[in-house]
Amino acid sequence: MTQDKQAAIFDSFLALVKAPYGDFSGIGKLSKEINDDSTLEEIVNFLRQSPQGERAFKERILLGNIDLHQLHELPKNTLGYIYSDMMLKNNLKPVPVERIEDNDFSYLKIHLSETHDIWHIVTDSDIDKSGEVKLETFYVAQLHYDRLFLSLLSKNLLKTAIQEMELCESIMDALTKGWTMGKKAKPLFGIQWNSLWEKPLEDIRLSLDIAV
Amino acid sequence: MTQDKQAAIFDSFLALVKAPYGDFSGIGKLSKEINDDSTLEEIVNFLRQSPQGERAFKERILLGNIDLHQLHELPKNTLGYIYSDMMLKNNLKPVPVERIEDNDFSYLKIHLSETHDIWHIVTDSDIDKSGEVKLETFYVAQLHYDRLFLSLLSKNLLKTAIQEMELCESIMDALTKGWTMGKKAKPLFGIQWNSLWEKPLEDIRLSLDIAV
């Protein structure tokens, strides 16, 4: 690795340590620096090893438009209701539908981004600091070659050490849980979530080997 | 926290990320910057809550001189034999006996430093990269308020993300194991290890609630 490359990674890493939580603007920069093309290729090749991942890359499955209010009419134990309830309560909006460029890296990025909040629900990860750490660790386990989520984890541990040691125990518990869960679970990448809105969340977790 | 203070922490953190493994020269600097006096006080107060810790601070128990060759004559299942065998095989020497300044912070530092290799043995942490991560995480659990070991953990995750993603799984497994073990185990701080050389390691682990 060149000195310049390393310096760019450090710059974007420290910018995220300094940024307040919830300011995501620096993540894209760190991702670009640390997940270079050869890393992205390793991630794609790894995810394609499962038939579900292979199909997702082939068909470039996306969620499409989501009507949160419509999902909120479903029975209360369904994925659709629980997901939309969390989104509405926290005033979150689904990621706008993006056009995929004709390559696997673009699909990888967009699919991960638009399913992020669903992964929160399925893995029982809150949207507070320890919940984000739990989910980041789950990504580390599930994406295998991805350097971004591991560096985000590193960022959050440093932020805790400097700013908020009182959160240490809950952060470390979350990390441990996310790792154990992510290694044991079936792959979440490539699931066509919009065919599962009406299914009970409990059944989905069971079928994915996720014990919360 | 002042800007200068934060900059000093970042400087010493990045120096450690850049340094090759095994180069410990930067750890003292990071420790000095990140574990300020109020943090050290929290650690000491926490450790004094156990009668063992309280006694250690009162009597300032140290290991004293260690004769590795003499310990190596003990039966092969004893702490003394297993510890000395690891030290001799890896050409490691016990930390030279230091004079304690007349304050708790000095005792904390010296006791932790001279017992570090014994903690390696008792927690079944190898001296390779993942073993160090396991033990660092064990320290995070056992010292509770310490910011240094949490930042060292952060450093090792960033180093793995940048330099050696192929180690990610073993590093994360070690971290998870160190945390679970450290939370469950009785306190190791303040144990008078030199009274235990002749005891079977297995019995010591059992009495400390350490399952390897």
Side-chain angles (χ1 to χ4, degrees):
Chain A
M1 181 178 295
T2 64
Q3 292 276 334
D4 282 0
K5 178 86 184 158
Q6 188 175 275
I9 291 173
F10 289 161
D11 276 355
S12 49
F13 178 83
L14 290 184
L16 280 172
V17 178
K18 288 177 202 165
Y21 282 99
D23 177 353
F24 303 125
S25 57
I27 294 182
K29 188 169 180 300
L30 179 60
S31 174
K32 202 172 140 254
E33 299 298 349
I34 206 163
N35 271 349
D36 53 14
D37 281 2
S38 72
T39 302
L40 290 173
E41 209 169 307
E42 283 177 312
I43 301 170
V44 171
N45 289 342
F46 172 71
L47 294 171
R48 290 193 103 123
Q49 283 173 23
S50 82
Q52 172 182 299
E54 173 61 27
R55 185 180 155 221
F57 277 108
K58 204 171 151 199
E59 302 181 9
R60 296 191 179 151
I61 296 161
L62 290 180
L63 283 174
N65 283 308
I66 293 171
D67 183 335
L68 292 178
H69 293 283
Q70 195 180 329
L71 292 179
H72 209 247
E73 300 298 314
L74 289 169
K76 294 200 169 178
N77 65 339
T78 61
L79 173 66
Y81 176 84
I82 296 166
Y83 163 74
S84 61
D85 194 58
M86 183 275 284
M87 297 294 278
L88 292 168
K89 274 191 179 144
N90 292 289
N91 204 20
L92 296 171
K93 301 209 177 355
V95 175
V97 182
E98 281 189 74
R99 206 181 57 81
I100 305 172
E101 290 168 47
D102 191 17
N103 65 68
D104 289 339
F105 299 171
S106 172
Y107 175 67
L108 174 71
K109 191 181 146 221
I110 291 174
H111 176 69
L112 285 177
S113 160
E114 67 166 14
T115 58
H116 178 82
D117 292 319
I118 301 176
W119 286 40
H120 262 286
I121 297 294
V122 174
T123 62
D124 192 34
S125 302
D126 288 338
I127 56 170
D128 60 0
K129 292 165 193 170
S130 59
E132 290 297 342
V133 163
K134 182 177 168 188
L135 186 50
E136 281 163 9
T137 320
F138 187 92
Y139 277 108
V140 173
Q142 291 248 320
L143 302 183
H144 210 98
Y145 293 95
D146 174 272
R147 297 164 194 267
L148 174 65
F149 284 102
L150 189 59
S151 58
L152 289 177
L153 214 52
S154 161
K155 182 269 287 182
N156 282 329
L157 295 191
L158 187 59
K159 224 166 153 63
T160 304
I162 294 176
Q163 297 172 2
E164 292 178 301
M165 264 311 277
E166 64 278 14
L167 294 185
C168 179
E169 183 165 1
S170 67
I171 295 278
M172 293 297 291
D173 281 343
L175 192 161
T176 298
K177 180 81 181 167
W179 179 248
T180 314
M181 187 189 268
K183 275 187 78 171
K184 188 167 180 288
K186 299 211 175 102
L188 264 61
F189 184 91
I191 290 178
Q192 190 155 13
W193 296 105
N194 55 11
S195 72
L196 301 175
W197 294 133
E198 291 169 35
K199 290 242 193 273
L201 176 57
E202 207 179 330
D203 294 356
I204 295 175
R205 285 182 180 152
L206 207 64
S207 74
L208 292 171
D209 277 339
I210 290 177
V212 301
Chain B
M1 181 178 293
T2 64
Q3 292 276 332
D4 281 0
K5 177 85 186 159
Q6 188 177 274
I9 291 174
F10 289 162
D11 276 355
S12 50
F13 178 83
L14 290 184
L16 280 171
V17 178
K18 288 175 201 164
Y21 282 98
D23 176 353
F24 303 125
S25 58
I27 293 182
K29 188 167 179 303
L30 179 59
S31 173
K32 202 172 139 252
E33 301 297 350
I34 205 163
N35 273 348
D36 53 14
D37 281 2
S38 71
T39 302
L40 291 173
E41 210 169 305
E42 284 177 312
I43 301 169
V44 171
N45 289 342
F46 172 72
L47 294 171
R48 289 193 102 124
Q49 282 174 22
S50 83
Q52 172 183 299
E54 174 60 26
R55 186 181 153 220
F57 277 110
K58 203 171 152 200
E59 301 181 7
R60 295 190 179 151
I61 295 161
L62 290 179
L63 284 173
N65 284 308
I66 293 171
D67 184 334
L68 292 178
H69 293 282
Q70 195 181 327
L71 292 179
H72 210 245
E73 299 299 314
L74 288 169
K76 294 200 168 180
N77 65 341
T78 61
L79 173 66
Y81 176 85
I82 296 165
Y83 164 74
S84 62
D85 193 59
M86 183 275 283
M87 298 294 278
L88 292 168
K89 273 190 179 144
N90 292 289
N91 204 19
L92 296 170
K93 300 209 176 356
V95 175
V97 182
E98 280 189 76
R99 206 178 58 80
I100 306 173
E101 290 168 47
D102 190 18
N103 66 68
D104 288 340
F105 298 171
S106 172
Y107 175 67
L108 174 72
K109 191 183 146 223
I110 291 174
H111 176 69
L112 285 177
S113 159
E114 67 166 13
T115 57
H116 178 81
D117 292 318
I118 300 176
W119 286 41
H120 262 286
I121 296 295
V122 174
T123 61
D124 192 33
S125 303
D126 288 337
I127 56 170
D128 59 2
K129 291 166 194 171
S130 59
E132 290 295 343
V133 163
K134 181 177 171 190
L135 186 50
E136 280 164 8
T137 320
F138 187 91
Y139 276 108
V140 173
Q142 291 249 320
L143 302 183
H144 209 98
Y145 292 96
D146 175 272
R147 298 163 193 268
L148 174 64
F149 284 103
L150 189 59
S151 59
L152 289 177
L153 214 53
S154 162
K155 182 268 289 183
N156 282 330
L157 295 191
L158 187 59
K159 225 168 150 66
T160 303
I162 295 175
Q163 296 172 3
E164 292 178 300
M165 264 311 277
E166 65 277 14
L167 293 185
C168 178
E169 184 166 1
S170 68
I171 295 278
M172 293 297 289
D173 281 344
L175 192 162
T176 298
K177 179 81 181 167
W179 179 248
T180 314
M181 188 189 269
K183 274 187 78 171
K184 188 168 181 285
K186 299 212 175 102
L188 265 58
F189 184 91
I191 290 179
Q192 190 155 13
W193 297 105
N194 55 10
S195 71
L196 302 175
W197 293 133
E198 291 170 34
K199 291 239 193 276
L201 176 57
E202 207 179 328
D203 294 355
I204 294 175
R205 286 183 179 151
L206 207 64
S207 73
L208 292 171
D209 277 339
I210 290 176
V212 302

